[in-house]
Amino acid sequence: MNFFRGVMGGQPAGPQPSGAETIQKLCDRVASSTLLDDRRDAVRALKSLSKKYRLEVGTQAMDHLIRILQTDRSDSEILGYALDTLYNIICNDEEEEQDESEEETQQKQVDDLGAQFTDRFIQDQENITLLLTILEEFDFHVRLPGVKLLTALLKNQCAQLQGIILVSPMGVSRLMDLLADSREVIRNDGLLLLLQLTKGNAAIQKIVAFENAFERLLDIITEEGSSDGGIVVEDCLLLLLNLLKNNSSNQNFFKEGSYIQRMKPWFEVGDDNSGWSAQKVTNLHYMLQLVRVMVSPVNSPGATASCQKAMFQCGLLQQLCTILMATGVPADILTETINTVSEVIRGSQVNQDYFASVNAPSNPPRPAIVVLLMSMVNERQPFVLRCAVLYCFQCFLYKNQKGQGEIVATLLPSTIDANSISAGQLLCGGLFSADSLSNWCAAVALGHALQDNLTQKEQLLRVQLATSLGKPPVSLLQQCTNILSQGSKVQTRVGLLMLLCTWISNCPIAVTHFLHNQENVPFLTAQISENLGEDERLVQGLCALLLGICIYYNDNSLENYTKEKLKQLIEKRIGKENFVEKLGFITKHELYSRAAQKPQPTFSTPEHMLFDHEFTKLFKELEGVITKAVHKSSEEEKKEEEVKKTLEQHDSIVTQYKDLIREQDTHIKALKEQVAGLTSQSEEMQTTITQQLSQIQQHKDQYSILKLKLGKSGDQGSALDGAQVNGLQQEELTQLREELDELRGQQSLLQTQLSDKDALINSMKSETATAASAQVAGASDTSELLREVESLRVQVQRQAAEISELQTERKELLRRAETGASAPATVDGAVDASKVAELENLLASQNEEMQKLKDELTSLSSNRTALDTELASANSTVAILQAEKTKLQNEVQETKKEQDELLMLLADQDQKILSLKQKLKDLGETIEDEDDLDTRDQFEEEDEEEEDDE
């Protein structure tokens, strides 16, 4: 123990050993001591030396410390010492103050040392698994240094540690348990650990999110006071940003979990906004960034739209607009709020309409858009704020034709209000002010009001500006070109040229107005043909683009500036190659590439604001077509027009065939429905016939019984038997009445079926008449089918008349039977015999009618077979027509190819003939034209005919 007293500060008994020697002795003691107390004291001594002798302790003691973690798990104190020692040799934090040069050198060496020890520690992945297991210990002195050690390892070798933890069983879940620790120190260090763990690894981010991280983090933010909280809130927000940024899966999980609604209370600021702390500004800044992550333009359109909808429905957008119009808000928070509102409303019609209705708390109230534009064109406002307002205005007009119309309407003469300031007036004021940045911002903003909106481009041509007293007003288009010709700053000219290109692109009327001014084309050609500096070359490239748009979208309505004449002018004054080179210079510029990356205008200085994101997309779209249009000859344009016309004709033919096929499909479908209806009717009639057959059989049986009973009563000849017979007749008469009622119902059913058949016959007549025009071959069969149906109708009517007569006869029979029942019992047997004969006749007639119904059923079945045959014929006809249509289309395409080849051959032949003629002429031969030869041959033939006549 004397040795440890010397190490820990006791009085030395002899010469002092060096630090390396002391560390070696301590390592030997850790490795060889059998007593836990001795090992604990040695490790504690190593911990005290680990900061001063970091290299020596890390080199000699790391393996021994790892072995302590493996073997002495039962003693929390020695575990804590070992973890602290490892943290000291791996962590790169340097506390001592040094000079700048010395500090940089020392820090580089420290970083290298920490990375070396980290690589050594993670060579064996079991060390990380062991460390994750130790983190499950609840003891404060074990868990806290374990968290710090793992955080330091992640800082030094993040990617390798992430891979090891990802494949470790329950590795991420163990780390997520740190957020649930009741001890705030461990929870806060756990936040820092998860911040390092989730950097740039989407797989770990997803696991952390599905371990209920969003719920826990939002709860911690609420507990800590939301935006008024401290550094813990900042760490939670940074971790949320790590989990959500560029991770569509986590963003969708955040939205589906209704966590967007829990963000609204963060932005509830009071009326007194003075004295914001630096931490509150930081917290609110990260909160706004979190909202922007959910609606970023780089996300998928569907996910962004759903998040925008949720933010409007829960009132988050309204809360942000409240901050936007509040007073006393710090400038950087106001700027970030404007950017956030911009992306929340971008492309969402509902959110854009709401933003248009927001008014600033002024007297009189002014729209928020007007107030923001006033800041944009005010050169005294901060540069970043002006950029944010421009971005907000662009997002308000993005895919918002209604908003574009409202902005342009404020410039039209019929809607100008002299008593109030409108957005259009502010844009015009900024467009023609002395501040070049205001010129550029106003030009870009006005260009967004015209983006992809032909109607507003034409409406803006009506805008007239009063330049000075006593002079007539000039159009806005003319005023823009006047400022261009005056040679203002490069930023102003670039902005105006972008506005003009956006304005007249895809708008032939605007192109005509632009070319109508005789000075515009000479000015553009003069600008393009000059050799100037780099900034001026940008202006030249934009002038080339503007002139190319005048060619591509020219409708040839101006005789002096048709497409062909403008191309000739370029070839003579500029040169096609020079024109294309000046046009291509724009895409090579660094500021163009930077603006094309994302919609938000982010520039370090005002001088770098030259290109707009939407304009870069327009330029990319037009550059290729303008280059082709300039190089294309008039003959090629004519050929293209002819090809377009031919394709249109082919398209019309194909459309006609498609319409014909649709009509035939409709007819076939109707015929199928008719066949199905006839089939169901046939089945119903079959069922009715079966029922009638059963009823007739019942009548036969009843008649046989009655006949037997009447025979017995005739043999007895007594009055009592006569009375019994009369009683039996009365019972039979009752049954006959019931059967008569049933027959009446059947008659009404048959009448209904008859009317249905009449309707079916009429519809079949019309269908047959329609099909006759397309299928002439089946006309005779259809007529025969109509005659058969008509004869069937006559038969059914005849059957109805016979049934009526039968009913009359049965009524008469019943009347007679009732008369016989009321007569005295002394009626003789002759009367009964006559009645029996009548009943036999009635049954015979019913049998005949039943046979007729069977024949009619057979006829209906044959008719249905004929309809099926007709349907099959129609289907085959349709198939033949379709095959013929396909064949015709193939023939048309082959003919077109052959014609093109013949034209090419004829052109080559003509060229060869002309060249040969030219060679013969050069050789002195007399060459006669083909027309002269044809005329001579014709005269010779006429002379020969006259001689023959003589």
Side-chain angles (χ1 to χ4, degrees):
M1 297 300 293
N2 291 332
F3 170 76
F4 287 108
R5 292 193 190 97
V7 172
M8 300 304 294
Q11 294 295 327
Q16 288 289 332
S18 65
E21 294 175 352
T22 304
I23 292 169
Q24 181 62 45
K25 291 179 181 179
L26 291 173
C27 291
D28 294 339
R29 182 59 58 91
V30 172
S32 61
S33 295
T34 57
L35 295 177
L36 179 61
D37 292 339
D38 290 345
R39 293 197 301 275
R40 186 189 305 118
D41 292 338
V43 173
R44 182 168 57 243
L46 287 173
K47 173 189 172 184
S48 63
L49 296 173
S50 59
K51 289 187 177 180
K52 184 175 182 181
Y53 299 100
R54 182 182 178 191
L55 177 62
E56 291 80 1
V57 173
T59 305
Q60 301 180 33
M62 179 174 287
D63 294 336
H64 300 295
L65 294 173
I66 293 173
R67 192 173 299 108
I68 289 293
L69 297 179
Q70 295 171 347
T71 58
D72 291 332
R73 292 281 304 279
S74 59
D75 187 71
S76 60
E77 189 174 358
I78 194 172
L79 284 179
Y81 292 150
L83 292 170
D84 283 332
T85 306
L86 288 171
Y87 172 75
N88 289 337
I89 63 177
I90 288 175
C91 182
N92 288 326
D93 294 339
E94 193 70 24
E95 296 180 358
E96 297 180 0
E97 296 183 359
Q98 301 171 350
D99 296 336
E100 290 185 3
S101 59
E102 294 180 359
E103 184 177 357
E104 291 178 1
T105 305
Q106 183 70 18
Q107 187 63 35
K108 185 176 181 180
Q109 295 176 355
V110 167
D111 292 343
D112 294 341
L113 198 59
Q116 293 174 7
F117 288 139
T118 301
D119 290 337
R120 182 179 172 187
F121 185 83
I122 65 176
Q123 280 180 355
D124 187 0
Q125 296 187 6
E126 293 298 325
N127 294 339
I128 304 300
T129 305
L130 175 64
L131 187 56
L132 292 174
T133 306
I134 292 175
L135 288 179
E136 293 181 348
E137 296 288 339
F138 188 73
D139 190 279
F140 179 82
H141 297 287
V142 175
R143 204 170 206 186
L144 182 61
V147 172
K148 289 183 176 180
L149 175 59
L150 190 56
T151 305
L153 291 170
L154 282 167
K155 287 181 179 179
N156 293 335
Q157 295 291 348
C158 185
Q160 298 181 29
L161 261 295
Q162 286 174 338
I164 297 172
I165 294 173
L166 193 59
V167 299
S168 177
M170 300 296 292
V172 179
S173 299
R174 292 171 181 173
L175 300 180
M176 283 298 300
D177 293 337
L178 299 174
L179 295 182
D181 200 306
S182 58
R183 294 161 293 192
E184 291 188 1
V185 177
I186 294 179
R187 184 199 66 185
N188 297 343
D189 283 350
L191 283 172
L192 298 176
L193 171 60
L194 291 173
L195 266 175
Q196 295 296 327
L197 180 65
T198 56
K199 282 184 178 179
N201 193 306
I204 292 180
Q205 291 170 359
K206 291 179 183 179
I207 296 173
V208 172
F210 283 95
E211 288 286 344
N212 205 23
F214 293 140
E215 185 75 28
R216 296 183 186 181
L217 292 174
L218 292 175
D219 289 341
I220 294 173
I221 291 173
T222 304
E223 293 171 3
E224 295 292 329
S226 297
S227 60
D228 293 324
I231 190 67
V232 177
V233 173
E234 179 182 347
D235 293 337
C236 290
L237 293 171
L238 288 172
L239 181 53
L240 285 172
L241 286 171
N242 277 359
L243 296 176
L244 292 173
K245 195 170 185 178
N246 299 325
N247 194 317
S248 58
S249 176
N250 284 1
Q251 290 174 5
N252 185 62
F253 182 65
F254 191 85
K255 177 182 68 69
E256 296 296 335
S258 300
Y259 296 119
I260 290 178
Q261 289 79 348
R262 296 186 60 178
M263 298 166 66
K264 180 190 173 184
W266 297 350
F267 305 102
E268 293 178 354
V269 296
D271 297 333
D272 186 11
N273 293 318
S274 59
W276 284 38
S277 64
Q279 187 62 54
K280 182 175 181 178
V281 171
T282 302
N283 291 343
L284 203 55
H285 185 79
Y286 285 132
M287 290 173 178
L288 292 169
Q289 283 190 2
L290 195 59
V291 176
R292 293 185 64 184
V293 164
M294 297 300 296
V295 293
S296 174
V298 301
N299 298 342
S300 63
T304 300
S306 60
C307 291
Q308 289 172 334
K309 181 179 179 181
M311 289 178 183
F312 176 76
Q313 291 177 346
C314 73
L316 179 58
L317 174 60
Q318 294 84 331
Q319 202 66 46
L320 292 174
C321 291
T322 302
I323 298 177
L324 198 65
M325 295 292 105
T327 56
V329 179
D332 52 348
I333 293 298
L334 181 61
T335 302
E336 189 64 21
T337 304
I338 294 173
N339 290 327
T340 305
V341 171
S342 305
E343 294 182 352
V344 173
I345 67 174
R346 188 176 188 269
S348 174
Q349 188 64 53
V350 175
N351 294 4
Q352 289 167 339
D353 291 342
Y354 170 77
F355 184 71
S357 65
V358 175
N359 288 324
S362 59
N363 190 15
R366 289 176 178 171
I369 297 175
V370 173
V371 176
L372 292 175
L373 288 177
M374 292 172 67
S375 300
M376 185 185 75
V377 298
N378 187 352
E379 56 184 315
R380 291 190 297 271
Q381 293 292 338
F383 171 65
V384 291
L385 179 63
R386 299 174 72 180
C387 291
V389 173
L390 175 61
Y391 183 47
C392 184
F393 191 73
Q394 292 174 350
C395 292
F396 169 68
L397 297 178
Y398 182 71
K399 293 183 179 179
N400 183 12
Q401 293 194 354
K402 178 183 177 183
Q404 290 175 326
E406 292 173 352
I407 296 298
V408 173
T410 59
L411 289 166
L412 299 179
S414 58
T415 58
I416 293 178
D417 186 3
N419 298 324
S420 62
I421 300 176
S422 65
Q425 293 173 355
L426 289 171
L427 290 177
C428 281
L431 195 62
F432 307 123
S433 70
D435 180 27
S436 61
L437 182 59
S438 298
N439 302 153
W440 189 91
C441 291
V444 171
L446 194 56
H448 278 261
L450 306 175
Q451 196 77 35
D452 299 327
N453 196 326
L454 180 61
T455 303
Q456 302 311 322
K457 291 178 181 180
E458 295 175 356
Q459 288 292 324
L460 200 63
L461 295 172
R462 299 169 48 201
V463 177
Q464 300 289 322
L465 301 176
T467 55
S468 60
L469 294 176
K471 292 185 178 181
V474 297
S475 66
L476 178 61
L477 184 66
Q478 181 62 44
Q479 185 64 16
C480 291
T481 56
N482 291 341
I483 295 176
L484 274 177
S485 61
Q486 292 172 4
S488 53
K489 293 182 180 180
V490 172
Q491 190 176 40
T492 300
R493 285 182 287 162
V494 168
L496 290 174
L497 285 169
M498 287 195 299
L499 172 61
L500 291 174
C501 291
T502 305
W503 190 348
I504 70 174
S505 65
N506 200 23
C507 183
I509 298 177
V511 172
T512 303
H513 278 72
F514 180 80
L515 295 176
H516 195 278
N517 187 351
Q518 302 293 328
E519 299 176 357
N520 289 340
V521 174
F523 169 75
L524 293 178
T525 55
Q527 287 287 317
I528 299 170
S529 59
E530 293 180 359
N531 293 322
L532 302 172
E534 183 175 354
D535 291 339
E536 292 295 333
R537 290 181 68 185
L538 280 179
V539 177
Q540 288 179 327
L542 291 173
C543 289
L545 177 65
L546 185 60
L547 187 57
I549 292 173
C550 292
I551 294 174
Y552 187 71
Y553 293 105
N554 195 333
D555 58 359
N556 296 325
S557 59
L558 294 177
E559 184 178 356
N560 294 332
Y561 294 110
T562 61
K563 287 184 178 181
E564 191 61 30
K565 290 185 178 180
L566 287 176
K567 286 191 287 187
Q568 292 175 1
L569 182 64
I570 290 175
E571 188 172 3
K572 292 179 181 179
R573 298 284 181 84
I574 304 171
K576 291 183 179 180
E577 299 300 328
N578 189 25
F579 179 86
V580 174
E581 181 184 355
K582 296 291 178 67
L583 186 63
F585 177 78
I586 295 177
T587 56
K588 300 175 183 177
H589 202 279
E590 179 186 358
L591 297 178
Y592 175 89
S593 303
R594 190 181 302 175
Q597 293 176 358
K598 57 182 180 179
Q600 183 181 0
T602 53
F603 303 98
S604 57
T605 59
E607 291 77 15
H608 289 167
M609 293 185 72
L610 288 179
F611 290 105
D612 173 57
H613 177 75
E614 291 297 326
F615 176 76
T616 60
K617 294 196 294 186
L618 177 66
F619 183 85
K620 186 178 180 181
E621 177 185 349
L622 293 177
E623 182 183 13
V625 296
I626 288 175
T627 303
K628 291 180 181 179
V630 170
H631 284 290
K632 195 179 300 180
S633 63
S634 59
E635 295 179 357
E636 292 176 348
E637 289 183 353
K638 291 180 180 178
K639 288 182 179 179
E640 284 189 358
E641 292 178 358
E642 291 177 357
V643 170
K644 288 181 181 179
K645 291 180 180 178
T646 306
L647 291 176
E648 290 176 357
Q649 292 176 358
H650 287 308
D651 291 340
S652 63
I653 293 172
V654 172
T655 304
Q656 292 176 1
Y657 275 115
K658 287 181 179 179
D659 294 338
L660 178 61
I661 291 172
R662 289 193 189 96
E663 292 177 0
Q664 291 174 349
D665 289 340
T666 305
H667 291 319
I668 291 171
K669 186 177 180 180
L671 288 174
K672 287 181 178 179
E673 292 176 355
Q674 291 176 4
V675 170
L678 288 174
T679 303
S680 62
Q681 289 180 4
S682 176
E683 292 175 355
E684 291 177 358
M685 293 186 68
Q686 184 68 33
T687 304
T688 304
I689 291 171
T690 304
Q691 293 176 355
Q692 289 180 354
L693 286 173
S694 63
Q695 290 176 1
I696 290 171
Q697 187 63 37
Q698 291 177 2
H699 291 166
K700 287 181 179 180
D701 295 340
Q702 292 173 2
Y703 172 71
S704 299
I705 295 171
L706 181 61
K707 186 176 181 181
L708 291 173
K709 290 180 179 180
L710 288 175
K712 291 179 181 180
S713 63
D715 293 338
Q716 292 176 358
S718 62
L720 180 60
D721 293 339
Q724 291 177 353
V725 171
N726 290 333
L728 289 171
Q729 289 179 352
Q730 191 70 30
E731 183 179 354
E732 294 296 331
L733 288 173
T734 303
Q735 293 179 356
L736 287 173
R737 288 192 185 97
E738 294 176 353
E739 294 171 1
L740 180 61
D741 294 336
E742 291 179 359
L743 288 173
R744 288 175 179 173
Q746 293 174 3
Q747 182 189 7
S748 63
L749 178 62
L750 289 173
Q751 292 291 341
T752 304
Q753 293 177 355
L754 181 62
S755 61
D756 292 339
K757 288 180 181 179
D758 290 337
L760 177 62
I761 289 166
N762 293 331
S763 63
M764 288 185 64
K765 285 180 179 180
S766 61
E767 292 294 333
T768 305
T770 305
S773 60
Q775 304 171 1
V776 179
S780 60
D781 296 336
T782 306
S783 302
E784 184 65 25
L785 179 62
L786 288 173
R787 286 195 294 272
E788 291 177 1
V789 172
E790 191 66 29
S791 63
L792 177 62
R793 180 181 178 188
V794 173
Q795 291 176 6
V796 172
Q797 291 177 352
R798 187 184 300 113
Q799 179 187 359
E802 291 174 355
I803 290 172
S804 178
E805 293 175 0
L806 178 61
Q807 290 176 349
T808 304
E809 291 174 0
R810 294 194 67 174
K811 288 180 181 179
E812 182 65 24
L813 178 60
L814 290 173
R815 186 181 61 79
R816 292 177 182 177
E818 290 175 354
T819 305
S822 61
T826 58
V827 178
D828 55 5
V831 176
D832 294 333
S834 65
K835 293 180 180 179
V836 170
E838 290 178 357
L839 287 173
E840 289 177 351
N841 294 331
L842 178 60
L843 288 174
S845 63
Q846 288 181 347
N847 289 332
E848 293 176 359
E849 293 297 328
M850 182 54 60
Q851 187 63 34
K852 291 180 180 180
L853 289 175
K854 288 181 178 179
D855 296 339
E856 291 173 1
L857 177 62
T858 304
S859 176
L860 286 175
S861 299
S862 63
N863 290 337
R864 187 183 70 178
T865 304
L867 286 174
D868 291 337
T869 305
E870 183 68 21
L871 177 61
S873 175
N875 290 332
S876 63
T877 304
V878 170
I880 292 170
L881 288 175
Q882 289 178 345
E884 290 178 355
K885 182 195 74 170
T886 306
K887 182 178 179 181
L888 287 173
Q889 289 177 344
N890 295 332
E891 290 178 356
V892 168
Q893 292 178 355
E894 293 177 359
T895 304
K896 181 184 174 183
K897 292 180 181 178
E898 292 176 358
Q899 289 177 353
D900 293 338
E901 292 175 356
L902 287 173
L903 288 174
M904 293 175 64
L905 290 172
L906 288 173
D908 294 339
Q909 189 67 24
D910 291 340
Q911 189 66 30
K912 291 179 180 178
I913 290 171
L914 290 175
S915 62
L916 290 173
K917 285 182 177 180
Q918 186 64 36
K919 289 181 180 179
L920 290 173
K921 287 180 180 180
D922 294 339
L923 293 172
E925 294 293 334
T926 302
I927 302 301
E928 295 182 354
D929 293 337
E930 292 181 358
D931 295 338
D932 298 337
L933 293 174
D934 293 341
T935 305
R936 182 185 301 172
D937 293 340
Q938 185 177 0
F939 286 150
E940 290 177 357
E941 289 176 359
E942 290 178 355
D943 293 338
E944 289 175 0
E945 289 177 358
E946 289 177 358
E947 290 176 359
D948 293 338
D949 292 339
E950 291 176 358

